[in-house]
Amino acid sequence: MTATTTAPGCPVDESFDPLSPEFLADPYAKLPGPAKPIFFAPSIGYYVLTRYADIEAVFRDPASYSAAVAQAPLVAIIPEAQRILLAGGHKPQPSMVSLDEPEHARLRKPAARAFSMKRVTAMIPVIEATAARLLDAVGQAQEFDLVAALAFPLPANIVFALMGVPAEDYARLKHWCGYRAALGWGRPAPEDQVDIAANIAAYRKYLRDLVDAKVREPGDDLAGDLIAIHREEPDRLTLDEIASILFSLSFAGHETTTGLIGNTVRRLLEDPGRWADIVAHPELIPKAVEETLRYDPSVPVWRRVTTRPVTLAGVDLPEGARLFLWLAAAGRDEAAFDHPGYFDLYRPEPERHLAFGKGLHYCLGANLGRLEAQIAVAELARRYPRLRLAPDQPLSFHPNISFRGPQVLKVRSRP
Ligand code: HEM
């Protein structure tokens, strides 16, 4: 897409590429500030929105802003890979998060019913025990990778256990989830796309087979709850739809929370004074997690597409304009938060962030994700009061636009 296709009066930033190594290393260096609330980025063909108020307005108006592009690949997918994806049941709008009403509600309602506060609360002892077991394995090692030891396995184990996946299959599911981030939010090279598509098709098939197995032998898990809803009224929730819900949860409940734990620990350890505050006052931990979601969210970008001509941030946009909702920039908007560039453990209302979206698609797993991050930090603070970042480590991030957290975070259990 070229600059000539952009809406009149909209600034164009030829240099903005959210998949460039410089941007991935430090997206905050590129924040445009209040003078540039909207611009067109030819590198991805999206209008970038940066203000809290505009992004919130988009989330709140699903009639004017469709979710259809939420997981649309950023590059053309080659026909062979498309064929494999379609044959594997992966449609262009592949799950709940990219559906509009009424199709969205068909999946969201039963998923929300099954994903009840009761189920989430029942997970607390499981999350605590899993975090403890994972950190027992670290023991008194002086230096370890926080992501490999805790931030990655904790949410994966929890969401798979919640869904009812047998423990021996966790590793396979984790492996498949990585392909999803590359397809929907990265820039996969044509030569890699067939492999990615084959893995996603296998992932779909696995979940569809799991649903059949759970029909034969229901368990006390979320898949079992969904099957109970299906039995009440088979037309309201089909078995294919249950597999689709599990597809949404398995991915959404995993990468997002790994990133949240990694980002929270990174930000707390960046200033040893913050860690000392957390150790002395563990009641600050929920605040620390919310402040991280504002300051350095693990889902820094979400997407929408206009369904009619609209005016946004003073620019007239046509129908079909694709929007890059820069949630990380909204968290740093000085019209919404005082001193937004400062990580403040004592900030009033950091939870006003938009890191979980808003409105009809508001994150279904927000409470679970929060709980996991809070328990992870609490367990770390209890065991390692003198925890530090290992010095001089360059951080790396998976090359995609929407899921962000350090891939490795080396920490020292004592200075
Ligand atoms: C902890 C970090 C997490 C973050 C930052 C996050 C962020 C988001 C965002 C930005 C959306 C899109 C909202 C919108 O379009 O308005 C979303 C949707 C969703 N999230 Fe999360 N999420 C997290 C954790 C989880 C967990 C743990 C689960 C489930 C186990 C989950 C399940 C979902 C689902 C199913 C949707 C789609 C809801 C719908 O379309 O109605 N998320 N999340």
Side-chain angles (χ1 to χ4, degrees), residues 208 268 282:
R208 188 62 186 80
L268 289 175

Coordinates of all heavy atoms in Angstrom, one line a residue, residues 208 268 282:
R208 N -10.1 -30.6 18.0 CA -11.4 -31.2 17.6 C -11.4 -32.6 18.1 O -12.5 -33.1 18.6 CB -11.5 -31.1 16.0 CG -12.9 -31.5 15.5 CD -14.0 -30.6 16.0 NE -15.3 -31.1 15.6 CZ -16.0 -32.0 16.3 NH1 -15.4 -32.7 17.3 NH2 -17.2 -32.4 15.9
L268 N 9.9 -4.4 37.7 CA 10.1 -4.3 39.2 C 11.6 -4.4 39.5 O 12.0 -3.7 40.4 CB 9.3 -5.4 39.9 CG 7.8 -5.2 39.9 CD1 7.1 -6.4 40.5 CD2 7.4 -3.9 40.6
P282 N 3.9 -6.9 50.1 CA 3.3 -7.7 49.0 C 1.9 -7.3 48.6 O 1.5 -7.6 47.5 CB 3.3 -9.1 49.6 CG 4.1 -9.1 50.9 CD 4.2 -7.7 51.3

